[in-house]
Amino acid sequence: MAPPSYSDIGKQARDVFGKGYHFGLVKLDVKSKTSSGVEFTAGGSSSTDGGKVTGSLETKYKIKEHGLSLTEKWNTDNSLNTTVDYDKLVPGLKLTLDGSFQPNSGSKSGKFKTEYKHEKFLFNADLN
């Protein structure tokens, strides 16, 4: 078993006090999964003081036999985020291509991430 990544150390302790406690905020998340394995998540939030209402729609497609996973998320800020994961190249290696596009301004960004887990170590690298 690979050691945990640095960001995962203490995560469970932080989640006890921070996850699920939204003071002054109303949240709703709805998740569904089709018979073909496509996952849908719709979510929204609003502050109780009459502030901004935000929402998002996320779809996730998995092709397990090829080791591919495609996640697309569109939110009310009019940004489209897409993530493609591939993990069948080498055992323990996960490659991720993460992109963002804002249609109203035309701005684009992308990131290439790698993660390699071995019994004795864990290696992460990101490229913008």
Side-chain angles (χ1 to χ4, degrees):
M1 182 171 151
S5 66
Y6 181 77
S7 61
D8 289 342
I9 297 173
K11 183 179 183 317
Q12 291 177 342
R14 287 190 307 272
D15 285 350
V16 168
F17 296 106
K19 190 172 185 178
Y21 299 103
H22 306 287
F23 299 104
L25 185 70
V26 177
K27 280 186 83 171
L28 176 67
D29 288 321
V30 178
K31 295 181 181 183
S32 181
K33 188 173 185 177
T34 65
S35 60
S36 62
V38 179
E39 299 174 21
F40 292 96
T41 304
S45 64
S46 175
S47 62
T48 56
D49 61 356
K52 186 177 179 182
V53 175
T54 61
S56 65
L57 175 65
E58 180 177 311
T59 57
K60 188 169 190 173
Y61 311 94
K62 290 183 180 178
I63 307 171
K64 292 183 181 182
E65 61 270 9
H66 296 293
L68 282 171
S69 173
L70 172 69
T71 305
E72 297 176 319
K73 185 173 184 178
W74 197 298
N75 61 31
T76 54
D77 293 334
N78 199 23
S79 67
L80 176 65
N81 299 313
T82 304
T83 304
V84 179
D85 294 323
Y86 181 66
D87 61 0
K88 287 274 186 172
L89 190 63
V90 175
L93 178 66
K94 182 178 179 183
L95 304 173
T96 303
L97 182 61
D98 194 1
S100 177
F101 175 63
Q102 294 189 340
N104 56 351
S105 66
S107 67
K108 300 172 248 180
S109 65
K111 186 182 280 191
F112 180 69
K113 302 176 185 179
T114 61
E115 179 180 79
Y116 182 70
K117 291 182 179 181
H118 191 268
E119 187 176 313
K120 302 288 183 190
F121 69 94
L122 176 86
F123 177 76
N124 291 317
D126 294 351
L127 179 66
N128 287 337

